[in-house]
Amino acid sequence: MVAVLFGGQSPEHEVSVISGMQAFAATDTERWNPVPLYLAKDGSWWTGPKLGSVDAFSRTDAFRSLGRRVSVRPAPGGRLVLDPERRSRFSRTALQPVDIVFPVLHGGSGEDGGLQGLCETLGVPYVGSGIIGSAVGMDKDISKLLCRQVGIPVVEHVAIREADWADRENAWLDRCESDLGFPVIVKPARLGSSIGISRASERSGLDRAIEDAFRYDGKVVVERAVPELREVNCSVLGDPVDAVASVLEEPVSSDAVLSFQDKYMKRDAAPGGAKSQRPRGMASLDRLIPAPLDEGETEEIRRLAVRVFRAFECAGVARIDFLREGTTGRVFFNEINTIPGSLSFYLWEPSGVPFPDLVDRLLEIAVRQHHDRTARVRSYAVNLLSERDLRGLKGAKGS
Ligand SMILES: Nc1ncnc2c1ncn2[C@@H]1O[C@H](COP(=O)(O)OP(=O)(O)O)[C@@H](O)[C@H]1O
Ligand SMILES: [Mg+2]
């Protein structure tokens, strides 16, 4: 059984619900036996066939009557089981064993390596990037440092921790001004969906923008604003050894900074002109696919995207976002999303990979990655706590 995990305790909860519904619908029932697993905002876990439809979430708390509350716990053999809370004491038939976890969570511990680490500790296969790629990809400061180290162009930036900011505000403002000039973009280091992001054109505005970003995160990134910006995104699918790039997209925004509203809240125009009531998640963003760039530039960005995917040791599907500077034509890495909105299916369809095939590949990669991780020697016959071995250890510490 594949548990399609969505929701989560993150500002991108609703976006994840939409991505989760999409992924669930695209998962082959015969082959994978998908089951929706919803992580509610209060941290409770829910399952049941009715949670595979967005109707369970369009009314507040409808999932509580439509789904079944479960606890998730480890079982022998590298499995998780979903254990219904109101299971009869004598029947164990309602326990549902999970063979693969399919996280479709955006932001928070679902995407930052926390959940991935938990799956590895429990020995359960899971879809997507591992601990390192997820954790590094979540941090805009460390992501840039990694890219810089491997020669991928990034915009100059200054990272500030809240503890270092207090009492030294003027020194930081001087540093930003001299290193970056104006205008700059200020962002919380580990958030997404444009939350807490603003643009500053002078010193007092920068001060305010930094303070504002600290409301969301204890680390803030200030970076040079790219002039005549065009954004170009590319999805990459595979593992660090064998990865391919999708067609490119150019998101088109009504505002200087692509907002949460732009990204997720646009609704479909249904046939006949009436507005559908369902937000379509990342698939709703106004975008040009493929991005209108010449072939040379397109190929260069696709190659860069694969290099980023490898540098972060990603697996599964990721979306890598670039900033293109109109004045110079230079392209910079901006950020990586290791669980991209709508799993980037809208970039794979025009690349010749229908959504159900994308999901098949993700699950196949998950199984392969799990095998690679677990096929190696992981324990030794020696018991270091046995008396004989303890003697050998005496004084070993610090010697
Ligand atoms: N250096 C920059 N120069 C100009 N605009 C930027 C820059 N960085 C971000 N932006 C704008 O802000 C938006 C959100 O920033 P981003 O780093 O993508 O954060 P998020 O994780 O919230 O998507 C981008 O989509 C872009 O429109
Ligand atoms: Mg972004």
Side-chain angles (χ1 to χ4, degrees):
M1 184 245 276
V2 169
V4 181
L5 175 56
F6 57 92
Q9 295 177 294
S10 120
E12 293 166 278
H13 179 96
E14 282 76 13
V15 187
S16 160
V17 170
I18 296 165
S19 295
M21 298 294 98
Q22 293 170 332
F24 177 70
T27 308
D28 187 322
T29 318
E30 297 270 286
R31 182 169 178 200
W32 301 108
N33 184 22
V35 166
L37 181 58
Y38 173 60
L39 176 51
K41 287 180 181 173
D42 66 4
S44 57
W45 299 77
W46 301 78
T47 190
K50 290 191 176 143
L51 302 192
S53 150
V54 79
D55 299 331
F57 308 98
S58 44
R59 248 183 324 114
T60 310
D61 283 351
F63 66 88
R64 292 180 192 276
S65 52
L66 295 173
R68 201 153 41 132
R69 187 166 175 174
V70 289
S71 53
V72 179
R73 47 182 193 79
R79 281 187 156 185
L80 281 180
V81 289
L82 306 184
D83 189 357
E85 293 227 316
R86 286 202 208 94
R87 184 163 51 96
S88 129
R89 248 200 295 162
F90 303 103
S91 127
R92 303 197 68 81
T93 51
L95 281 181
Q96 290 178 281
V98 177
D99 303 298
I100 305 179
V101 175
F102 186 175
V104 195
L105 296 161
H106 305 311
S109 70
E111 195 179 0
D112 71 1
L115 174 76
Q116 291 70 15
L118 181 65
C119 289
E120 289 197 18
T121 305
L122 299 177
V124 189
Y126 61 95
V127 170
S129 290
I131 300 169
I132 289 197
S134 306
V136 175
M138 187 53 69
D139 187 309
K140 292 188 160 97
D141 170 38
I142 297 179
S143 288
K144 281 195 224 291
L145 298 181
L146 170 61
C147 284
R148 187 163 283 154
Q149 180 66 26
V150 298
I152 291 159
V154 288
V155 177
E156 308 84 274
H157 82 286
V158 171
I160 312 173
R161 282 171 207 284
E162 196 167 23
D164 300 330
W165 166 252
D167 303 333
R168 281 187 291 270
E169 299 182 16
N170 271 318
W172 281 113
L173 294 173
D174 288 344
R175 162 123 184 249
C176 291
E177 201 168 342
S178 62
D179 287 10
L180 312 172
F182 284 110
V184 290
I185 305 285
V186 181
K187 2 181 143 164
R190 294 158 291 208
L191 230 64
S193 296
S194 302
I195 296 163
I197 299 192
S198 50
R199 189 184 176 92
S201 310
E202 31 66 50
R203 207 174 157 102
S204 66
L206 175 57
D207 191 11
R208 240 178 300 128
I210 293 172
E211 294 278 354
D212 185 55
F214 277 134
R215 289 171 48 214
Y216 301 96
D217 195 334
K219 180 161 74 167
V220 162
V221 168
V222 183
E223 57 189 57
R224 180 175 69 82
V226 170
E228 293 181 25
L229 172 70
R230 276 171 73 186
E231 298 186 61
V232 184
N233 304 340
C234 180
S235 183
V236 178
L237 170 64
D239 58 41
V241 180
D242 184 17
V244 286
S246 72
V247 298
L248 304 183
E249 68 168 328
E250 178 171 351
V252 189
S253 163
S254 46
D255 215 333
V257 171
L258 207 54
S259 71
F260 191 83
Q261 199 71 17
D262 279 326
K263 275 187 185 165
Y264 303 119
M265 299 314 287
K266 297 254 173 76
R267 283 159 204 275
D268 257 358
K275 289 276 181 190
S276 138
Q277 284 314 298
R278 289 181 189 175
R280 292 191 65 219
M282 266 313 270
S284 75
L285 184 65
D286 289 326
R287 53 165 57 83
L288 305 168
I289 299 175
L293 297 168
D294 70 39
E295 209 182 306
E297 202 173 354
T298 298
E299 284 317 308
E300 188 199 317
I301 294 173
R302 295 178 73 218
R303 270 196 301 273
L304 263 183
V306 170
R307 278 179 60 202
V308 172
F309 190 90
R310 289 196 167 149
F312 283 75
E313 300 187 357
C314 287
V317 70
R319 198 191 73 230
I320 294 136
D321 297 354
F322 297 92
L323 304 172
R324 185 184 184 279
E325 188 169 72
T327 46
T328 60
R330 286 192 297 167
V331 171
F332 304 97
F333 164 86
N334 180 40
E335 62 163 335
I336 179 164
N337 300 280
T338 51
I339 307 184
S342 300
L343 299 179
S344 299
F345 79 85
Y346 55 88
L347 291 175
W348 287 103
E349 279 179 344
S351 308
V353 184
F355 200 179
D357 293 5
L358 173 65
V359 170
D360 277 346
R361 291 208 209 171
L362 293 177
L363 288 161
E364 287 160 8
I365 293 166
V367 172
R368 241 184 8 242
Q369 292 282 112
H370 178 73
H371 188 77
D372 282 357
R373 273 194 297 266
T374 52
R376 299 182 201 283
V377 178
R378 291 203 296 176
S379 64
Y380 306 91
V382 187
N383 177 4
L384 288 179
L385 299 180
S386 73
E387 220 176 290
R388 186 171 54 92
D389 293 321
L390 270 182
R391 249 177 283 135
L393 275 181
K394 261 187 204 141
K397 203 175 161 212
S399 68

